[in-house]
Amino acid sequence: YETYGSGTWYATTMTRQANGSFTGALTRDARGQTLAGAYKAPSTLVELATAEKAWVFQLHDVQCSAMVADLLAHTGITKAGFGLGDDRKRIVAKLGVEPGAVLELNTIFRARGYRKDMGVKGAVAVLFNKRFLKSKKAATSNWANPQLTEAQLVYAANDAYAAFRVFQALELTPS
């Protein structure tokens, strides 16, 4: 993994296809904090993974944010993930771009007959018959820190890679 910046959106998965386009996946970890009635906006982080490497981008860096905005807006890169819900609105608000070629993987599972919402942990269990363990300590840690811990980086990179593997296993054609 490599890090750039501070915060919490996360995108996953980028693989260059033979035709020069990219395949990718997008997930989210927006961990806002409420302290004594004061609201702190969710921090932002983007994580990308390929079969060989993962990147964790903290978006407080302007150049980093601009690069991630370009990647998320690129229609030649399929961004796939789970629980994307209002991520589109958050991406537009935070980065000022409309995300292109976004695929909610839960809709694929529903189309294939799964009735419950599917997250990355459930998808890993269904597709690979494995448990995807996620550290609760890392998950609930402060993702707004300017410097993420090793545990946070590993957590984010593993999450990105797991979504990438799910996307591959579903044998979807990138847009």
Side-chain angles (χ1 to χ4, degrees), residues 20-43:
S21 68
F22 290 86
T23 301
L26 174 68
T27 60
R28 154 177 86 53
D29 189 13
R31 301 206 187 279
Q33 297 178 2
T34 303
L35 300 170
Y39 178 73
K40 180 180 176 190
S43 55

Side-chain angles (χ1 to χ4, degrees), residues 72-154:
L72 294 177
H74 196 296
T75 57
I77 304 170
T78 303
K79 279 75 65 181
F82 295 94
L84 301 178
D86 22 88
D87 282 355
R88 189 198 66 72
K89 287 184 259 176
R90 290 182 181 153
I91 290 168
V92 170
K94 175 72 178 175
L95 301 175
V97 298
E98 184 71 37
V102 176
L103 174 64
E104 169 60 64
L105 292 173
N106 189 46
T107 61
I108 304 302
F109 281 95
R110 285 202 179 252
R112 294 183 181 184
Y114 293 89
R115 293 180 184 241
K116 290 186 176 183
D117 280 345
M118 187 70 67
V120 69
K121 288 170 74 171
V124 166
V126 166
L127 295 172
F128 306 112
N129 199 28
K130 301 275 185 200
R131 285 186 64 199
F132 181 53
L133 301 175
K134 296 172 93 172
S135 164
K136 286 195 189 249
K137 184 177 179 183
T140 59
S141 61
N142 186 355
W143 289 86
N145 279 334
Q147 183 67 40
L148 296 178
T149 66
E150 183 82 11
Q152 288 173 311
L153 294 171
V154 169

Side-chain angles (χ1 to χ4, degrees), residues 2-7 45 55-61 64 67:
E2 297 174 7
T3 63
Y4 300 92
S6 166
L45 166 94
W55 297 265
V56 178
F57 301 98
Q58 291 180 287
L59 299 180
H60 72 275
D61 179 282
C64 179
M67 182 180 65

